[in-house]
Amino acid sequence: SLSFLEVIPNIGKRYEALNDFLNGVEAEALWEDPRHVDGFLDAETGVVLRRDEHARVLVLDFVDRVNIEKKVSYMASITNLDQLKNYFHSSLQSLRKIPFYTDDYELDLERAFEHRLEEITDLILAQVKKQMELLDDFTEIHGLYTDLTERSLDIGFTEEQRSKLRDLYELRKDDLKRLKLEEIDRLLESIQDPQELRDYWESVKWYLYNNRPFLGKEYENMIARKFDKAM
């Protein structure tokens, strides 16, 4: 007995590809030499036959030569952003050149691409976070943030990821401001000499001036009041 249960769910989408495959099969050759059927039992694509000993049937299926599962699996292993984009676009172009229905394959490929893209960009953000934590210069941190922001669309950041990038930038600035404030408080408590205090103020004043775009006037005024109080 033959079972068509496997092939039925997909035949509506794959009938053109199946017809094309069957056009290359010579029925007379199969009748004359049944051994030709063995090729279908060993086949991985095209018309595939499998024995179901329990049900005592020969299962007939059609496996498209487009192995979308393999493409999706390979895409999930890619770690380089440019490689991922190149593979996705080349695979999409090859699918669109096939003269049969491939819309569902293209959708599967697009979903896999978007999922892997988000995973890789999340990794990029995690690396950016570590990189920012190693920097203590406001200008360098701002340069890193600006560069990534300008390239965010090309990289493929989502709006949520762009927002997370802004948060990382602001948090690192706040950390540096807090650390500088703690350093100033400690030194002000230890300085007893007015001249030493004036010298220290000169160095802090230049620090505040050079980083004014990142610190803000309110932060400067707060530091100045601390020195006035210490004096």
Side-chain angles (χ1 to χ4, degrees):
S1 298
L2 281 174
S3 169
F4 293 89
L5 293 177
E6 294 291 331
V7 76
I8 286 173
N10 299 319
I11 198 65
K13 297 176 181 177
R14 306 279 93 86
Y15 72 92
E16 292 176 317
L18 174 56
N19 285 339
D20 182 69
F21 176 86
L22 292 176
N23 285 334
V25 176
E26 296 183 10
E28 291 182 3
L30 293 177
W31 286 117
E32 292 173 0
D33 188 354
R35 287 178 298 178
H36 287 300
V37 178
D38 292 343
F40 298 114
L41 291 167
D42 299 327
E44 294 183 357
T45 60
V47 172
V48 177
L49 295 176
R50 294 193 302 273
R51 294 182 179 89
D52 186 337
E53 302 291 350
H54 179 71
R56 299 179 61 80
V57 295
L58 196 62
V59 178
L60 184 143
D61 197 3
F62 177 73
V63 180
D64 203 334
R65 62 183 177 85
V66 180
N67 194 335
I68 194 65
E69 290 81 8
K70 186 176 181 180
K71 290 181 179 295
V72 168
S73 176
Y74 177 73
M75 193 178 290
S77 69
I78 297 176
T79 58
N80 180 274
L81 198 57
D82 290 333
Q83 182 184 351
L84 176 69
K85 292 179 180 179
N86 290 335
Y87 182 77
F88 169 67
H89 290 302
S90 63
S91 297
L92 199 60
Q93 288 176 358
S94 66
L95 284 176
R96 289 172 177 171
K97 290 178 181 178
I98 297 174
F100 313 125
Y101 179 85
T102 60
D103 289 4
D104 54 338
Y105 292 156
E106 293 173 26
L107 185 59
D108 288 343
L109 195 70
E110 186 174 349
R111 286 172 177 165
F113 168 73
E114 291 175 352
H115 179 71
R116 188 55 183 158
L117 177 64
E118 188 171 352
E119 289 180 336
I120 292 178
T121 47
D122 278 341
L123 289 174
I124 291 175
L125 282 177
Q127 293 171 352
V128 169
K129 183 176 184 294
K130 291 181 180 179
Q131 192 173 354
M132 282 188 175
E133 289 173 349
L134 294 174
L135 297 174
D136 56 8
D137 184 280
F138 284 103
T139 303
E140 291 181 2
I141 296 170
H142 181 72
L144 176 62
Y145 168 71
T146 302
D147 176 63
L148 286 169
T149 300
E150 292 175 349
R151 295 191 296 116
S152 61
L153 290 178
D154 291 334
I155 293 173
F157 283 151
T158 63
E159 182 58 39
E160 183 180 352
Q161 288 173 325
R162 287 195 287 271
S163 177
K164 187 175 180 179
L165 177 61
R166 287 192 295 271
D167 290 342
L168 290 175
Y169 172 62
E170 295 298 334
L171 284 171
R172 185 53 183 158
K173 286 199 303 179
D174 289 343
D175 284 343
L176 291 179
K177 289 165 69 174
R178 176 181 54 79
L179 291 171
K180 189 64 178 178
L181 191 61
E182 291 175 355
E183 173 195 301
I184 290 172
D185 284 338
R186 286 195 305 270
L187 287 172
L188 288 181
E189 288 179 2
S190 65
I191 295 175
Q192 301 296 323
D193 181 67
Q195 186 57 48
E196 184 182 354
L197 184 62
R198 293 189 188 94
D199 292 341
Y200 182 46
W201 165 244
E202 287 299 319
S203 67
V204 171
K205 185 169 64 175
W206 280 111
Y207 172 84
L208 295 173
Y209 175 78
N210 290 331
N211 293 296
R212 180 171 291 175
F214 314 109
L215 298 174
K217 193 65 178 176
E218 183 178 347
Y219 187 84
E220 287 186 39
N221 291 337
M222 178 180 62
I223 299 298
R225 287 195 298 270
K226 286 179 176 292
F227 274 86
D228 288 341
K229 184 177 179 181
M231 183 62 74

